[in-house]
Amino acid sequence: MAGEFATSLLDEFHIGVLGETGVVSPLTKIAKYKKIVDRRTGASLAIRLHQFNDANECVPCHILFVAESATPESVAIVMQQFAELPVLVVGETPGFARAVGDAEFQLVDGEIRFELNLDHASNKNLKLDAKLLKAANSILKVQQSGAVTQN
């Protein structure tokens, strides 16, 4: 599946959304008017948005946003499906990044912030841009002792 993943995502930048959430509307606008530049090739990629109502419908994408409305069972299915694929899995449920996800959107003082879990992302060979790391509200990393540190 990893080979299929790599070849199926070369022409467009795919963002998936699992469940019902308010981020669909702004993501639709972004997909309509913005493009992503592939740093390796310099190619300009159109953004394609996919809405999934069921975890079993989810297909590989560059970013998968898991809505707070997704059931724990759906989250488990998605995390298993994408465990070895370089898909950035982002959630909005409190504690998502600490528990299972790569990133979590948070509302802080009326503004959207995000938390990154470097261990989850690196286990899937995701390479996070330095600008993304700098913009994060907090970065989680599990120490060898099992304790979670937060920057």
Side-chain angles (χ1 to χ4, degrees), residues 14-134:
H14 296 264
I15 300 174
V17 177
L18 174 62
E20 297 297 322
T21 177
V23 302
V24 172
S25 180
L27 284 177
T28 300
K29 289 178 186 174
I30 290 169
K32 184 174 181 180
Y33 297 109
K34 300 283 184 182
K35 296 203 180 287
I36 300 288
V37 176
D38 185 326
R39 291 185 314 168
R40 293 167 298 167
T41 66
S44 183
L45 305 175
I47 300 171
R48 183 156 185 208
L49 187 63
H50 306 271
Q51 178 79 46
F52 306 113
N53 294 315
D54 184 300
N56 292 308
E57 296 174 354
C58 293
V59 295
C61 44
H62 295 94
I63 299 172
L64 178 66
F65 185 84
V66 179
E68 194 168 12
S69 66
T71 65
E73 295 80 17
S74 292
V75 173
I77 290 168
V78 165
M79 298 314 294
Q80 184 177 11
Q81 285 175 327
F82 300 140
E84 296 180 14
L85 295 177
V87 175
L88 182 69
V89 182
V90 180
E92 62 183 351
T93 304
F96 186 83
R98 287 180 186 272
V100 295
D102 305 314
E104 174 188 327
F105 282 162
Q106 304 168 333
L107 189 60
V108 178
D109 297 328
E111 294 190 23
I112 296 289
R113 301 281 189 225
F114 63 96
E115 183 170 77
L116 294 173
N117 188 317
L118 291 184
D119 289 326
H120 292 171
S122 66
N123 287 341
K124 299 188 309 183
N125 293 318
L126 280 171
K127 296 190 183 3
L128 302 178
D129 187 82
K131 290 179 186 176
L132 181 67
L133 294 171
K134 188 174 181 178

